[in-house]
Amino acid sequence: MSFEYAENAHSTHSAPNTDRDDDTAMALKIVVAGGFGAGKTTLVGAVSDIRPLRTEETLSEAGQGVDDTAGVARKATSTVAMDFGRITVHAGLTLYLFGTPGQDRFWFLWDELSEGALAAVVLADTRRLEDCFAAVDYFERRRIPFVVAVNCFPEARTYAAHDVSHALDLDRGTPVVLCDARDRDSGKDVLIRTVEYAGRMHTARLLDSVR
């Protein structure tokens, strides 16, 4: 397994901002999950202010009977441990992004990657929407707030957000947003939506606990 820092157009922001008031700074952990080939590595790389850490391996013939590549036949590599990136949304708020591997055989890593997470993004590919079920169930069971982000692949059919919500049988109020995982602004909008939703959920739970 090779750990590599991928080149990123935003790597000029990799140095910490020493002028920032650390007393008001906030760092939050966000997990980026989803099925095999949904775009997790792409999203983390697109939004990260630093060169993202990637743990990718080339798909081999030995894995053809294990990894379902239907609909993503052009995919040549796969994350085998995690992706990591960092983005400063605005002064005083930094998000640390942890991308999960998509194959079932790497699920044992999810508990470690999700430890201490404020929220999660579940990336969905409408060509393989059933691949999201496991991630949705995972975060619902652990009561980790999450947003479903539908990665709009050019060759995929477009569905309305409420149709995706119904197909995934999401709890009422769980946001579904459309995005392009390759586009920094689109990915940033997903993350902001995720933080806002998580904030509302955690506040509501806190109020319920003191009633």
Side-chain angles (χ1 to χ4, degrees), residues 10-41:
H10 312 292
S11 59
T12 55
H13 298 286
S14 58
N17 181 4
T18 56
D19 294 328
R20 185 178 60 191
D21 184 358
D22 291 337
D23 291 336
T24 61
M26 180 180 295
L28 304 175
K29 179 178 181 180
I30 304 293
V31 176
V32 180
F36 179 64
K40 301 178 293 295
T41 299

Side-chain angles (χ1 to χ4, degrees), residues 65-204:
V66 180
D67 299 323
D68 179 12
T69 58
V72 289
R74 290 180 292 179
K75 185 173 175 59
T77 61
S78 177
T79 298
V80 296
M82 58 174 263
D83 298 308
F84 174 76
R86 186 190 73 204
I87 176 174
T88 298
V89 177
H90 56 69
L93 177 58
T94 298
L95 305 181
Y96 290 92
L97 311 176
F98 291 79
T100 67
Q103 300 99 313
D104 293 347
R105 65 182 185 273
F106 296 124
W107 268 74
F108 66 93
L109 295 168
W110 281 49
D111 287 344
E112 290 292 334
L113 294 176
S114 300
E115 182 69 26
L118 171 81
V121 174
V122 176
L123 270 175
D125 178 352
T126 57
R127 300 168 300 178
R128 298 160 54 102
L129 195 59
E130 65 279 4
D131 289 357
C132 289
F133 292 153
V136 168
D137 289 344
Y138 181 91
F139 295 117
E140 284 183 344
R141 287 198 306 270
R142 286 158 180 79
R143 302 189 73 222
I144 298 176
F146 66 93
V147 167
V148 174
V150 179
N151 191 7
C152 299
F153 290 92
E155 62 272 23
R157 180 178 173 182
T158 301
Y159 294 88
H162 65 84
D163 291 330
V164 175
S165 179
H166 179 74
L168 292 176
D169 192 25
L170 298 177
D171 289 341
R172 184 177 181 180
T174 302
V176 176
V177 296
L178 306 183
C179 74
D180 182 345
R182 303 166 299 178
D183 182 76
R184 175 176 169 83
D185 289 337
S186 180
K188 186 175 180 180
D189 287 342
V190 170
L191 295 174
I192 292 173
R193 182 77 175 270
T194 301
V195 171
E196 291 174 344
Y197 175 64
R200 293 195 300 270
M201 290 295 293
H202 286 295
T203 299

